[in-house]
């Protein structure tokens, strides 16, 4: 819950905008401000105060106890210009909240915690559980001291600053990435990657205590950390077995189930007759843990009951193979505000960035210091794709970038053609040139439309021509990508001539060059009078269908003949 406190009419107006944006998350605290702040502090995970920072500092200071437990506090000034993360930047989520409030109110987020301010990832923001001397090691990272990185688990991490990864030295700060329990060491932070899969089986009615006790013992005796458990896995037939469902909930991990047939196909060291009779597979715990591959760290074991009754639960623990991460990220047409927040997050999540040099320049300032940048020139597509996949297979977090949408005439297909199923792939859509141009031209894509690339580098001209003809005959709006280059000048006139066999000379045509870039230009002309000389490789050309009109200088394709009668 987010508590909202305001003192003035302007504050209340801004507050109400947050209430409208967060109907389920926001709670308004009315009444005398000092009292409202105290109540919100006690009851909420986060608060936004439409008050001066000084006032809030005085009010919350006596209430602060510990940064792991205190709510995150954000202050917004009277004019709504700044959203200041005041207290609980990381653990309390105030930095994120300040950014979110900033987005909603048009205020500048103000974040002063050191790790965020200098682009060093806060060790507690990497998405992995953290243990140990967070403050000390973060300080060392920021101060540029040598910090040793011990990657016992090759889990893909974002870029870390260059001083992280120094050779081991006595007394040096250490970041350890590991699923193993070990006595805590001074000046050490342990990141817990989600490496462990715990397979469980249980007879009907097994208690959650019995299941959890068994899992806890198994992990402890094998020297493994419960914080690294990624999932509990079992057979479909047990998907609602309360002891198992509750155990997953208490461990805070998902319960994943597999069919008996899938489990029966997994080779396990300790098959047995009992589960075969009960649920149709000779192994539940071991098979469910091993189904995704990996190393069996704890073979099947049974619970031990104080009352001497037969065991009702089994478990097995597997360390799954580390998986690299390939994010295929579309950067949009050029303008920074057409780059999606998700794309930004993936760029900052990456340790390795692969892309065309001119696209790297577009986002270089967003990368974390220490990101390995593998840039190459035009034409090296296949090599870029191979490099990105190879880095991901080495266990790295990789971002492969492309302009517009990375799946449209871009890197996603060559990369995924190379990629095997041993890496995770995440796609981030981007605003492709046809859409960016459409928004500039008006509404040219209001009915069925296609994109056709006129580059015959990878596609024979006969194929391109056949597609243009099909679009012409089907009366579909066409956007031409790669329409014309210095060495390739007859294709666009030829394609337009084919369309002109089926469309009037007066059909509107939109030409947009450098959409959303500083030197953007556009014009609406017609099929009969387009001068191909104004078209180059920075341009897309959108040709309307027979219903497209130029209205008030804008290109408009009606939604259809009956759209007014249809429900939207
Ligand atoms: N993946 C890109 C397209 C790559 S093909 C996307 O989704 O937009 C390259 C062609 O895209 C260029 O020749 C040009 O036709 C078009 N293009 C890309 N960005 C553009 C922009 N900002 N303005 C106009 N055309 C653009």
């Amino acid at each position: 819950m987010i508590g909202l406190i305001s003192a003035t009419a302007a504050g209340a107006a801004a507050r109400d905008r947050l209430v409208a944006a967060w109907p389920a998350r926001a709670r308004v605290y009315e009444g005398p401000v000092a009292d409202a702040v105290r109540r919100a502090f006690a009851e909420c995970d986060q608060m936004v105060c439409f008050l001066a920072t000084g006032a809030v500092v005085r009010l919350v200071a006596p209430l602060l106890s510990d940064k792991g437990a205190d709510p995150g506090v954000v202050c917004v000034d009277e004019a709504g210009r700044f959203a200041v993360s005041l207290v609980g930047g990381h653990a309390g989520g105030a930095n994120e909240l300040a950014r979110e409030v900033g987005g909603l109110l048009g205020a500048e987020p103000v974040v002063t915690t050191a790790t965020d301010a200098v682009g060093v990832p806060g060790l507690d923001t990497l998405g992995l559980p953290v243990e140990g001397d967070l403050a000390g090691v973060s300080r060392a990272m920021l101060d540029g001291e040598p910090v040793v990185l011990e990657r016992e688990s090759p889990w893909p991490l974002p870029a870390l600053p260059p001083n992280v990864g120094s050779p081991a030295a006595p007394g040096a700060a250490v970041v350890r990435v590991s699923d193993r329990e070990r006595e805590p060491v001074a000046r050490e932070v342990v990141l817990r990657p989600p490496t462990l899969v715990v397979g469980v089986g249980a007879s009907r009615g097994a208690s959650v205590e019995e299941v959890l006790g068994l899992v806890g013992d198994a992990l402890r005796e094998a020297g493994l950390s419960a914080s690294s458990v990624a999932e509990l896995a079992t057979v479909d037939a047990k998907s609602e077995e309360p002891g198992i469902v509750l155990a997953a909930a208490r461990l805070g991990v998902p319960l994943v189930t597999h069919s008996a047939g899938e489990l029966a196909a997994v080779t396990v060291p300790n098959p047995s007759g009992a589960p075969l009779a009960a649920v149709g597979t000779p192994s539940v715990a071991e098979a469910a843990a091993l189904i995704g591959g990996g190393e069996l760290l704890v073979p099947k074991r049974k619970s031990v009951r104080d009352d001497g009754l037969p065991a009702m639960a089994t478990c097995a623990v597997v360390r799954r193979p580390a998986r690299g991460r390939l994010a295929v990220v579309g950067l949009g047409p050029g303008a920074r505000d057409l780059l999606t927040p998700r794309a930004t997050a993936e760029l900052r999540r990456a340790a390795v960035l692969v892309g065309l040099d001119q696209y790297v320049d577009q986002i270089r300032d967003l990368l974390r210091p220490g990101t390995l940048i593998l840039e190459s020139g035009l034409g090296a597509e296949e090599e870029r794709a191979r490099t990105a996949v190879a880095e991901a297979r080495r266990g790295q977090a990789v971002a492969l970038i492309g302009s517009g949408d990375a799946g449209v005439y871009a890197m996603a297909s060559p990369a995924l053609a190379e990629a095997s199923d041993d890496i995770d792939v995440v796609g981030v859509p981007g605003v492709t040139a046809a859409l960016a141009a459409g928004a500039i031209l008006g509404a040219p894509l209001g009915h069925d439309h296609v994109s056709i690339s006129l580059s015959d580098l990878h596609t024979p001209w006969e194929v391109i021509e056949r597609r243009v003809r099909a679009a012409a005959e089907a009366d579909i709006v066409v956007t031409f990508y790669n329409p014309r280059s210095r060495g390739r000048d007859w294709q666009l006139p030829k394609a337009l001539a084919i369309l002109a066999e089926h469309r009037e000379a007066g059909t509107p045509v939109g030409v947009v060059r450098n959409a959303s870039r500083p030197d953007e230009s556009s014009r609406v002309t017609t099929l009969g009078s387009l001068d191909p000389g104004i078209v180059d490789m920075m341009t897309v050309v959108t040709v309307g269908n027979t219903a497209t009109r130029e209205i008030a200088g804008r290109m408009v394709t009606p939604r259809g003949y009956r759209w007014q009668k249809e429900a939207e």
Side-chain angles (χ1 to χ4, degrees):
M1 191 55 68
I2 304 177
L4 306 180
I5 297 109
S6 61
T8 64
R15 174 199 71 193
D16 290 344
R17 286 165 65 192
L18 297 188
V19 172
W22 300 327
R25 289 163 71 201
R27 181 185 297 165
V28 172
Y29 285 81
E30 314 248 29
V33 164
D35 179 52
V37 167
R38 272 191 291 273
R39 280 186 291 134
F41 196 94
E43 293 168 11
C44 297
D45 316 313
Q46 295 182 317
M47 22 196 309
V48 181
C49 302
F50 297 88
L51 300 168
T53 49
V56 179
V57 166
R58 284 175 205 289
L59 289 170
V60 302
L63 310 175
L64 296 172
S65 65
D66 147 26
K67 77 176 181 183
D70 291 335
V73 180
V74 168
C75 290
V76 178
D77 63 303
E78 181 73 11
R81 283 184 306 156
F82 303 107
V84 184
S85 166
L86 190 70
V87 171
H90 289 155
N95 293 349
E96 263 321 297
L97 183 65
R99 293 191 185 98
E100 203 179 336
V101 169
L104 288 168
L105 300 181
E108 181 80 25
V110 179
V111 171
T112 57
T113 44
T115 46
D116 292 77
V118 301
V120 171
L123 287 167
D124 52 347
T125 63
L126 301 183
L128 303 182
V130 193
E131 295 160 17
D133 181 9
L134 187 56
V137 176
S138 298
R139 190 77 262 148
M141 268 170 73
L142 282 170
D143 290 346
E145 268 182 49
V147 176
V148 180
L149 180 62
E150 285 180 15
R151 291 180 89 156
E152 284 176 21
S153 307
W155 209 255
L157 294 177
L160 295 165
N163 56 318
V164 179
S166 307
V174 175
V175 174
R176 193 158 66 90
V177 185
S178 176
D179 54 24
R180 294 213 159 271
E181 272 315 348
R182 206 174 65 187
E183 278 299 297
V185 174
R187 301 197 79 208
E188 180 183 81
V189 154
V190 187
L191 298 174
R192 296 297 189 191
T195 48
L196 305 176
V197 179
V198 179
V200 286
S203 324
R204 183 167 315 139
S207 70
V208 60
E209 288 75 22
E210 184 164 349
V211 176
L212 272 182
L214 170 66
V215 171
D217 288 347
L219 293 171
R220 197 168 326 103
E221 285 168 29
L224 298 169
S225 167
S227 303
S228 277
V229 174
E231 64 182 49
L232 238 51
T234 189
V235 64
D236 285 343
K238 297 293 174 186
S239 65
E240 287 173 14
E241 184 61 41
I244 294 182
V245 173
L246 283 172
R250 295 229 187 127
L251 287 167
V253 299
L255 176 64
V256 176
T257 66
H258 306 279
S259 71
E262 288 168 324
L263 295 183
V266 179
T267 311
V268 298
N270 301 296
S272 95
L276 186 60
V279 289
T281 164
S283 165
V284 172
E286 284 184 348
L290 277 168
I291 195 164
E295 183 190 353
L296 185 63
L297 302 178
V298 180
K300 179 176 82 175
R301 54 184 280 166
K302 294 183 180 169
S303 48
V304 180
R305 294 173 58 112
D306 300 339
D307 56 14
L309 290 176
M312 293 183 75
T314 55
C315 89
V317 183
V318 162
R319 179 181 288 135
R320 51 184 187 179
R323 292 170 70 83
R325 190 166 194 283
L326 175 64
V328 186
V329 182
L331 302 181
R336 180 53 61 86
D337 59 356
L338 291 179
L339 176 75
T340 64
R342 190 180 297 188
T344 305
E346 283 298 342
L347 297 174
R348 297 176 70 75
R349 171 73 182 78
V352 180
L353 183 90
V354 183
L356 190 63
D357 40 18
Q358 69 198 63
Y359 300 151
V360 176
D361 288 340
Q362 207 173 311
I363 45 84
R364 204 180 291 273
D365 60 303
L366 293 175
L367 302 175
R368 302 242 191 227
T371 307
L372 173 65
I373 300 176
L374 302 174
E375 48 194 322
S376 43
L378 264 178
E381 275 82 21
E382 274 164 26
E383 184 205 314
R384 270 200 296 284
R386 260 199 302 280
T387 304
V389 170
E391 289 292 326
R393 296 190 70 182
R394 287 202 314 122
Q396 295 278 30
V398 182
L400 175 63
I401 57 171
S403 83
D405 183 277
V408 177
Y409 307 123
M411 294 306 299
S413 358
L416 299 197
E418 287 282 326
S420 35
D421 67 1
D422 56 352
I423 58 172
D424 291 327
V425 175
V426 181
V428 182
V431 177
T432 188
L435 298 184
I440 292 164
L441 295 168
L445 308 183
H447 210 287
D448 300 333
H449 52 275
V450 289
S451 293
I452 296 180
S453 167
L454 291 184
S455 167
D456 51 8
L457 225 54
H458 302 289
T459 312
W461 174 253
E462 298 72 53
V463 174
I464 299 173
E465 187 173 321
R466 181 146 45 87
R467 291 178 185 172
V468 175
R469 206 170 284 289
E473 285 166 4
D475 196 24
I476 298 176
V477 174
V478 182
T479 301
F480 291 115
Y481 282 67
N482 302 303
R484 185 169 177 273
S485 68
R486 236 178 296 147
R488 202 159 44 67
D489 57 4
W490 57 263
Q491 286 85 345
L492 178 64
K494 174 76 188 164
L496 294 173
I498 295 171
L499 291 174
E501 291 169 22
H502 298 266
R503 297 177 199 186
E504 305 276 344
T507 303
V509 174
V511 179
V512 179
R513 184 164 191 280
N514 278 328
S516 93
R517 297 177 188 149
D519 46 353
E520 169 186 307
S521 64
S522 70
R523 87 172 62 168
V524 179
T525 169
T526 63
L527 204 45
S529 56
L530 170 68
D531 168 14
I534 65 167
V535 175
D536 65 9
M537 281 298 275
M538 302 297 169
T539 313
V540 281
V541 176
T542 298
V543 182
N545 67 14
T546 54
T548 305
R549 296 287 170 264
E550 186 184 326
I551 299 172
R554 304 185 190 100
M555 196 172 160
V556 181
T557 301
R559 285 224 15 225
Y561 302 114
R562 301 192 314 126
W563 68 274
Q564 286 138 319
K565 296 194 197 119
E566 277 173 3
E568 275 290 314

